[in-house]
Amino acid sequence: MSDVAVGLDVGGTKALAVLVSRDGEILDELRTSTPHDAEGGAGAATGKVLAEQLVTFAERHSLDVSSLPIGIGMPGMVRRDGRLAFAPNLQTVSGASFPELLRESIGAEFVYMENDGNCAALGEYAWGAGHGVENFVMVTLGTGIGGGIIANGELVRGQSGFGGEIGHMVVEARGTLCGCGGFGCWERYASGNGLARLAFEWATEGRLAELTLKRGGAQNVRGEDVTLAASQGLEEAIALMNEVAWWLARGLANLIAILDTGHFVIGGGLSTAADQLLPSAREYLAELTFGYDKRPPIVVTPSGLTVHAGALGAAKVAFDRQP
Amino acid sequence: MSDVAVGLDVGGTKALAVLVSRDGEILDELRTSTPHDAEGGAGAATGKVLAEQLVTFAERHSLDVSSLPIGIGMPGMVRRDGRLAFAPNLQTVSGASFPELLRESIGAEFVYMENDGNCAALGEYAWGAGHGVENFVMVTLGTGIGGGIIANGELVRGQSGFGGEIGHMVVEARGTLCGCGGFGCWERYASGNGLARLAFEWATEGRLAELTLKRGGAQNVRGEDVTLAASQGLEEAIALMNEVAWWLARGLANLIAILDTGHFVIGGGLSTAADQLLPSAREYLAELTFGYDKRPPIVVTPSGLTVHAGALGAAKVAFDRQP
């Protein structure tokens, strides 16, 4: 039984690697840009980056890669057998089998894959803001919305392992087109992309007059401009953040109706704007939740593990699954 | 350990009681109208009806009510402690505690309550169309939409026991007003009520010309007229049933994204129109489901226990929980 595991969190822009002890302490950490070239077949370039990270850890800490438990969190539909079925935001790795790639390249024997949102949920359940909560939902607000569901103390992986793709729950039938090909997905309204889209829409409609003037045109108003201006008290920006918070609450209320979740852990890049989103979202929940006043208070809390949630959860997966 | 249990399924119009063996065989059955008078306090009138049903079974089959396991399925939010927190469609029983009422009136000691959709899910899981399927969703298309979720082989009851209220998942943000006070709930589009509402809307817009003429006015076109006419091949009626099927698929696709459910069991009153709904709904699922072609085929099957699903599941609850 290994004292340490490696968690690898592969995102659209960077691959984060952590070396983790059994009690969730991060002992070492590496960050590398995610390559987007398709050379060598599905996932080859990314597999090379991960192999380098693993070898670096092994050298620095005198570890044997062949016995090391390694977990990988991937943004996409990860099948129960570990193969990546579909990664809409990381096309070059769709279909890749990293366990095979890493066995062939560096002799790693214990490599386990899981969806990144599911990893984050498992990480928060083990060591973060969902610790000991038998029913909660992890919501990662990044470019899109990912997540993972813990019900009855277990991860809901579903039939094929694709559970927790909550960002593709449709909240506006026949709404705006999503990258997945669907219309009206939650992540078109309450994610980083959703904020950017709404900012452009509002700017075009003249509802972000000051920001548009400052940035020299509606097309230049970015999501970051809105969150910054809102934090500085600009009313038009606060109004837009409230709109995003309403959409966030709309999706959370749906998950409450379906799962009777009383606890949400909010992570991901956009959660840095948590101060501007979560208080309003909590208020909107009161009006949007079915039977709100019959339920105990609903907790909406920022991630305890922040940017490390996915990588830590991937390490937890490896600890749990290594025979 | 009792060889038999009683399952009571309390609906808005009738209370169905079944006497059930351990292998799910129905040994006896009673149906009584659900009373809607509020006299005697929350649930008193309904409690009296249930007590009479239980006494009838006890007399007919020489059973001792005090040791009999009794399960009750209720349409509403049933707390884990067995109290009914909220029953929007059965106001006179909101807040009632039937375990207490039945202990006081007839000395029943082992009375367990559960939401009716959850009961149906447990019934189908034990003895019906979800038998042995570790991840499936029961969808009851009645006046509204109820349901129950089985994930990892267990019922998802959630924090307070309110899990599975899938009909109040919003699929059209700021859509039509629902009885729950929300807007755009799934059950406003794909239930018996949804069909009736759409029928009136279509008739008013002149899209059900033949039916409107036949029934002598848009206000007279009922849901049943549409399902009957559709079964007889009337095109305008088939078109409306396809619209309902689209909305049905819209909600199912959301549940697939969230839970990775690969198996749906469809029950409830409207499922008698299954022949007209399910084939189209299955086709729409192909275009509405996130990553559809990466998943194994999705099963959408009619209930195996039909009108008895809830009552049988309530009996299963009683078998499982009696110490």
Side-chain angles (χ1 to χ4, degrees):
Chain A
M1 207 171 80
S2 175
D3 290 338
V4 294
V6 174
L8 301 164
D9 184 10
V10 182
T13 54
K14 64 172 187 349
L16 170 66
V18 293
L19 183 69
V20 182
S21 72
R22 283 212 169 249
D23 55 3
E25 199 191 336
I26 296 175
L27 308 170
D28 200 353
E29 180 172 343
L30 292 165
R31 257 162 237 266
T32 316
S33 294
T34 308
H36 281 270
D37 51 291
E39 213 173 311
T46 302
K48 195 155 166 280
V49 164
L50 302 185
E52 284 163 8
Q53 290 180 323
L54 287 163
V55 168
T56 303
F57 279 157
E59 287 173 0
R60 282 191 196 167
H61 302 271
S62 308
L63 299 165
D64 175 6
V65 169
S66 71
S67 64
L68 192 62
I70 300 162
I72 311 180
M74 297 292 308
M77 291 165 65
V78 178
R79 288 200 320 223
R80 282 179 181 264
D81 66 6
R83 194 169 279 272
L84 189 66
F86 184 40
N89 298 319
L90 203 59
Q91 298 287 355
T92 58
V93 301
S94 267
S97 173
F98 289 102
E100 279 174 35
L101 287 170
L102 294 173
R103 184 166 52 236
E104 284 162 19
S105 61
I106 57 169
E109 291 290 340
F110 300 102
V111 181
Y112 308 95
M113 282 175 63
E114 186 56 83
N115 169 269
D116 55 359
N118 286 350
C119 284
L122 290 168
E124 297 286 345
Y125 188 46
W127 301 308
H131 183 65
V133 183
E134 296 230 309
N135 292 284
F136 81 93
V137 178
M138 174 83 211
V139 181
T140 55
L141 305 176
T143 311
I145 301 180
I149 298 163
I150 304 288
N152 295 318
E154 265 193 272
L155 180 67
V156 176
R157 303 183 73 218
Q159 184 186 30
S160 307
F162 304 154
E165 290 286 358
I166 55 179
H168 297 286
M169 157 176 68
V170 164
V171 291
E172 182 88 306
R174 298 163 177 144
T176 67
L177 181 64
C178 178
C180 76
F183 291 86
C185 293
W186 187 26
E187 70 171 41
R188 293 298 289 147
Y189 302 87
S191 67
N193 260 346
L195 169 63
R197 187 183 63 76
L198 286 167
F200 178 71
E201 222 174 88
W202 279 42
T204 310
E205 293 165 9
R207 298 168 72 187
L208 291 175
E210 278 197 42
L211 276 177
T212 304
L213 192 66
K214 195 173 161 200
R215 300 284 312 159
Q219 72 285 356
N220 298 332
V221 178
R222 299 161 311 169
E224 305 91 281
D225 301 322
V226 177
T227 51
L228 179 64
S231 73
Q232 293 164 346
L234 182 65
E235 271 195 31
E236 62 186 34
I238 293 170
L240 178 47
M241 291 307 284
N242 280 343
E243 172 83 2
V244 175
W246 187 90
W247 284 106
L248 175 58
R250 180 61 277 163
L252 299 183
N254 274 6
L255 295 170
I256 294 169
I258 297 165
L259 300 162
D260 185 23
T261 302
H263 192 105
F264 292 96
V265 179
I266 313 291
L270 189 61
S271 70
T272 52
D275 290 350
Q276 294 154 55
L277 283 177
L278 300 197
S280 322
R282 289 186 194 105
E283 280 176 37
Y284 289 129
L285 268 188
E287 62 188 62
L288 294 175
T289 300
F290 174 70
Y292 182 81
D293 60 344
K294 312 295 175 191
R295 302 175 189 268
I298 288 159
V299 175
V300 183
T301 183
S303 160
L305 310 176
T306 65
V307 296
H308 296 109
L312 279 164
K316 186 70 171 65
V317 166
F319 276 132
D320 290 348
R321 296 204 194 147
Q322 188 180 44
Chain B
M1 207 171 81
S2 175
D3 289 338
V4 294
V6 174
L8 301 165
D9 185 9
V10 182
T13 54
K14 62 169 188 353
L16 171 65
V18 292
L19 183 69
V20 182
S21 72
R22 283 216 170 247
D23 55 3
E25 200 192 333
I26 295 176
L27 308 171
D28 201 352
E29 180 171 343
L30 293 165
R31 257 161 238 264
T32 316
S33 294
T34 308
H36 280 270
D37 51 292
E39 212 173 311
T46 302
K48 195 155 164 279
V49 163
L50 303 185
E52 284 162 8
Q53 291 181 323
L54 287 163
V55 169
T56 303
F57 279 157
E59 287 174 0
R60 282 192 197 167
H61 302 271
S62 308
L63 299 165
D64 176 6
V65 169
S66 72
S67 63
L68 192 62
I70 300 162
I72 310 180
M74 297 291 308
M77 292 166 64
V78 178
R79 289 198 321 219
R80 281 176 181 267
D81 66 7
R83 195 171 278 272
L84 189 66
F86 184 40
N89 298 319
L90 202 58
Q91 298 287 357
T92 58
V93 302
S94 267
S97 173
F98 289 102
E100 280 174 35
L101 287 170
L102 293 173
R103 185 167 49 238
E104 284 162 17
S105 60
I106 56 169
E109 292 291 339
F110 300 102
V111 181
Y112 308 95
M113 281 175 63
E114 185 56 83
N115 170 270
D116 55 357
N118 286 350
C119 284
L122 290 168
E124 299 286 345
Y125 188 46
W127 301 308
H131 183 65
V133 184
E134 295 229 309
N135 293 282
F136 80 92
V137 178
M138 175 82 211
V139 181
T140 54
L141 305 177
T143 310
I145 301 180
I149 299 163
I150 304 287
N152 295 317
E154 265 192 273
L155 180 68
V156 175
R157 304 183 74 218
Q159 184 186 29
S160 307
F162 304 153
E165 291 284 359
I166 56 179
H168 297 285
M169 156 175 70
V170 165
V171 291
E172 182 87 306
R174 296 160 177 147
T176 66
L177 180 64
C178 180
C180 75
F183 291 86
C185 292
W186 188 25
E187 70 172 40
R188 293 297 291 147
Y189 302 87
S191 67
N193 260 347
L195 170 62
R197 188 183 63 75
L198 285 168
F200 178 70
E201 222 174 270
W202 278 42
T204 310
E205 292 165 11
R207 298 168 74 187
L208 291 175
E210 278 196 42
L211 276 177
T212 305
L213 192 66
K214 195 173 159 198
R215 300 283 312 158
Q219 72 284 359
N220 298 331
V221 178
R222 299 161 311 169
E224 304 91 278
D225 301 321
V226 177
T227 52
L228 179 65
S231 73
Q232 293 165 345
L234 182 66
E235 271 195 31
E236 62 187 33
I238 293 171
L240 177 46
M241 290 307 285
N242 281 343
E243 172 83 2
V244 175
W246 188 89
W247 284 106
L248 175 59
R250 181 59 279 161
L252 298 183
N254 273 7
L255 295 170
I256 294 168
I258 296 166
L259 300 162
D260 186 23
T261 302
H263 192 104
F264 292 96
V265 179
I266 313 292
L270 189 61
S271 71
T272 52
D275 289 351
Q276 294 154 55
L277 284 176
L278 301 196
S280 322
R282 289 185 194 106
E283 279 176 37
Y284 289 130
L285 268 187
E287 62 189 59
L288 295 175
T289 301
F290 174 69
Y292 182 81
D293 60 344
K294 313 296 176 192
R295 302 176 189 267
I298 288 160
V299 175
V300 183
T301 184
S303 159
L305 309 176
T306 65
V307 296
H308 296 108
L312 279 164
K316 186 70 171 66
V317 166
F319 276 132
D320 290 349
R321 297 204 194 146
Q322 189 181 41

